Amino acid sequence: MSISNLIVHEIQKQQGERKAILIARPNENPIDDQAETLFAQVTSLFNRSGMNTGRFANPQGSVDGAQLPALLTKYFKEDAFTDFPSFTRECAANYLTYLEPVEEVAGGLLWFNHYELHGTHFLYIVMLKRKEGIGLSADLSLSQIEQIEVEKLHMSLRINLSAWQAGDEGRYISFRFGRAPKHESEYFTQFIGCDEPKVAAKETRKLVDLTSAFCQSEGLASKQANEFKKVVAEQCQAKAEEREPLAIKDIASQVASRFSVEQANKFLEIADSDSFKMEQEIFVEKAALKKLTRLSGSSRALTMSFDSDLLGESIVFDADTGTLTIKELPKSLLKQLQSMSN
C-alpha cells in the first residue's frame, strides 16, 4: 500500500451558523512518518463495521448535481491526478455548497488521500476534527494543545478509482457516517452524488437469507445445507478480511462445484428475484454472518445459541412437538444442574 498524493484543507464554520470559509493549502502535504501514521489510523477506523456502499448516479458528472464525478473525470487520467491540489481545492469548494445550508454542522479538516493497493487506485475524502489535548513542553510544563481527533471518523469516503474509471457497474464507493445525525449524512451523500447507498450489514443479511432460501428450495438435508452455509460463511469472511467486495457469481460457482450447474443457475435466479434483488457485488459485514452457522433465539426467560451443524447430531429438533433435545450439555451447565438436583 503506497500513498501517491496527500493534502489537507480546512473548513471554518461555527455550529449554528451558515457562513463557511475554505482555508486551502496551496500544495500537497509531504508524505512523511506522520502522514503514514495518520493514513494507517484512518484506514483502520474506516474498515470497521457499519459500511455503506454505492456508485455515482452520474459516473461522468454533469453541470447539475454533485460535482465530484465531474472533477474526477477532469483531473484523474491514466491512474494519476494531473493536478491534485487543484482537484482537491475545487472539490472542497463544492463541499462547502452542501455544508453551508446545514446550520447544525461545524467545519473541520478535509483530508484527501490518493493511494495504490495491489495495482488498484483509491481515493479517501475524510472529514477530520480537532480536539483539545494536554501537552508537555521541553521544561516539563503542561500546556493546552490542539490535536487531530483520531479515535473516530465523522464523515469518510473511499472511491475505487480503478473500478470507476473502467466503468464498473459494481458498488465502487464505500463511505461511513460515524455517529452523524441524519441531516449530516444527507448532505454528505448529496456531495458524493451516490446512487442508492446500501448498508453492508443489510446486504449481508440478505445474502444469509438467500443462502437459506436456496437450501430450502433444493430440499437439502440438514448436514448438506450446514456444510454449504459454512463454505459461504468462510468465503464471506475471507473477503471481509481482505476488505474486498464479494461477487454473488462466486457463490454460484460454489453451488456449481458442490451440486450442479443447473442448481447454480437456480441460485442466481433466486438472487435476482423480487424477494432479494441482490447486487452483483456486496461488502460483507462480519457480524451479520452469524446466522449462517449459528441458530439462536431468546425470550425474557431463556436465551439459546448453538452451531447449526449440531442440529441432527447432539441436538435433535422434533417439528411435531416443537421441542429440542440436547444430548451433550456444556460441562459448566451440567455441573450447575447436578448441584441443584442434589
Side-chain angles (χ1 to χ4, degrees):
M1 189 182 293
S2 61
I3 300 175
S4 302
N5 309 95
L6 171 64
I7 196 167
V8 181
H9 301 304
E10 182 176 6
I11 294 177
Q12 294 181 347
K13 179 179 180 296
Q14 296 299 318
Q15 195 167 358
E17 298 180 3
R18 287 200 171 195
K19 181 65 176 176
I21 300 172
L22 172 63
I23 310 297
R25 182 182 169 88
N27 44 43
E28 296 182 36
N29 290 74
I31 301 170
D32 51 20
D33 289 344
Q34 287 82 5
E36 294 277 3
T37 298
L38 185 54
F39 171 70
Q41 290 171 325
V42 167
T43 300
S44 177
L45 288 170
F46 190 86
N47 287 321
R48 289 182 180 177
S49 61
M51 191 84 71
N52 293 267
T53 62
R55 63 173 72 86
F56 288 131
N58 188 340
Q60 302 308 316
S62 63
V63 176
D64 300 322
Q67 294 302 297
L68 179 54
L71 291 172
L72 285 172
T73 301
K74 178 181 177 181
Y75 286 104
F76 190 69
K77 311 286 185 182
E78 298 179 358
D79 295 337
F81 281 94
T82 56
D83 187 342
F84 195 66
S86 293
F87 161 73
T88 60
R89 283 196 296 272
E90 289 188 43
C91 202
N94 179 243
Y95 183 86
L96 253 66
T97 64
Y98 292 94
L99 178 70
E100 283 190 318
V102 189
E103 293 185 3
E104 300 93 332
V105 179
L109 304 171
L110 265 185
W111 155 287
F112 293 85
N113 181 192
H114 167 217
Y115 69 96
E116 182 183 354
L117 175 63
H118 304 316
T120 301
H121 291 261
F122 295 90
L123 174 70
Y124 271 135
I125 303 177
V126 180
M127 172 59 82
L128 297 169
K129 300 284 187 179
R130 285 194 174 99
K131 69 172 185 177
E132 296 295 323
I134 296 176
L136 197 63
S137 64
D139 63 355
L140 303 182
S141 59
L142 298 174
S143 61
Q144 195 137 33
I145 59 173
E146 274 196 338
Q147 301 172 313
I148 295 176
E149 189 175 51
V150 293
E151 292 82 10
K152 59 184 177 181
L153 295 182
H154 295 268
M155 298 285 181
S156 50
L157 156 72
R158 181 178 64 198
I159 304 171
N160 184 328
L161 295 171
S162 299
W164 161 76
Q165 197 167 55
D168 196 320
E169 293 185 358
R171 294 187 169 269
Y172 45 78
I173 300 174
S174 305
F175 54 100
R176 299 173 55 86
F177 299 133
R179 296 181 178 273
K182 186 178 180 182
H183 58 262
E184 290 196 34
S185 61
E186 283 181 347
Y187 91 76
F188 194 68
T189 304
Q190 290 168 0
F191 159 71
I192 299 168
C194 191
D195 182 22
E196 297 180 22
K198 301 287 183 180
V199 179
K202 182 179 178 180
E203 291 293 287
T204 305
R205 287 193 291 270
K206 279 173 63 177
L207 176 61
V208 170
D209 293 340
L210 166 63
T211 305
S212 297
F214 168 75
C215 292
Q216 188 174 2
S217 72
E218 298 305 294
L220 300 183
S222 294
K223 186 175 182 180
Q224 208 175 15
N226 288 336
E227 287 175 355
F228 176 59
K229 289 177 181 179
K230 189 173 289 186
V231 168
V232 174
E234 288 171 355
Q235 197 162 356
C236 288
Q237 290 277 5
K239 288 295 184 182
E241 288 169 8
E242 293 167 2
R243 304 184 183 106
E244 293 181 355
L246 171 77
I248 298 302
K249 66 180 182 181
D250 290 343
I251 303 296
S253 296
Q254 288 288 344
V255 175
S257 63
R258 299 180 72 86
F259 305 111
S260 69
V261 174
E262 290 76 15
Q263 286 171 297
N265 291 333
K266 181 63 179 295
F267 178 85
L268 291 173
E269 183 182 316
I270 298 173
D272 197 42
S273 68
D274 291 339
S275 298
F276 294 98
K277 292 184 178 178
M278 293 292 300
E279 295 291 329
Q280 294 179 13
E281 290 184 343
I282 67 168
F283 281 87
V284 174
E285 174 66 63
K286 284 185 179 181
L289 287 173
K290 290 181 180 179
K291 284 188 177 181
L292 270 178
T293 55
R294 290 190 70 80
L295 297 171
S296 61
S298 63
S299 64
R300 294 185 65 180
L302 176 67
T303 297
M304 184 175 291
S305 176
F306 56 89
D307 287 345
S308 56
D309 55 10
L310 294 178
L311 198 62
E313 300 295 330
S314 59
I315 298 178
V316 179
F317 175 60
D318 188 327
D320 294 330
T321 61
T323 57
L324 282 178
T325 302
I326 304 174
K327 298 179 181 178
E328 297 175 10
L329 293 175
K331 290 182 179 179
S332 57
L333 177 59
L334 181 60
K335 188 174 181 180
Q336 291 178 62
L337 293 170
Q338 288 174 336
S339 63
M340 291 176 66
S341 64
N342 292 335

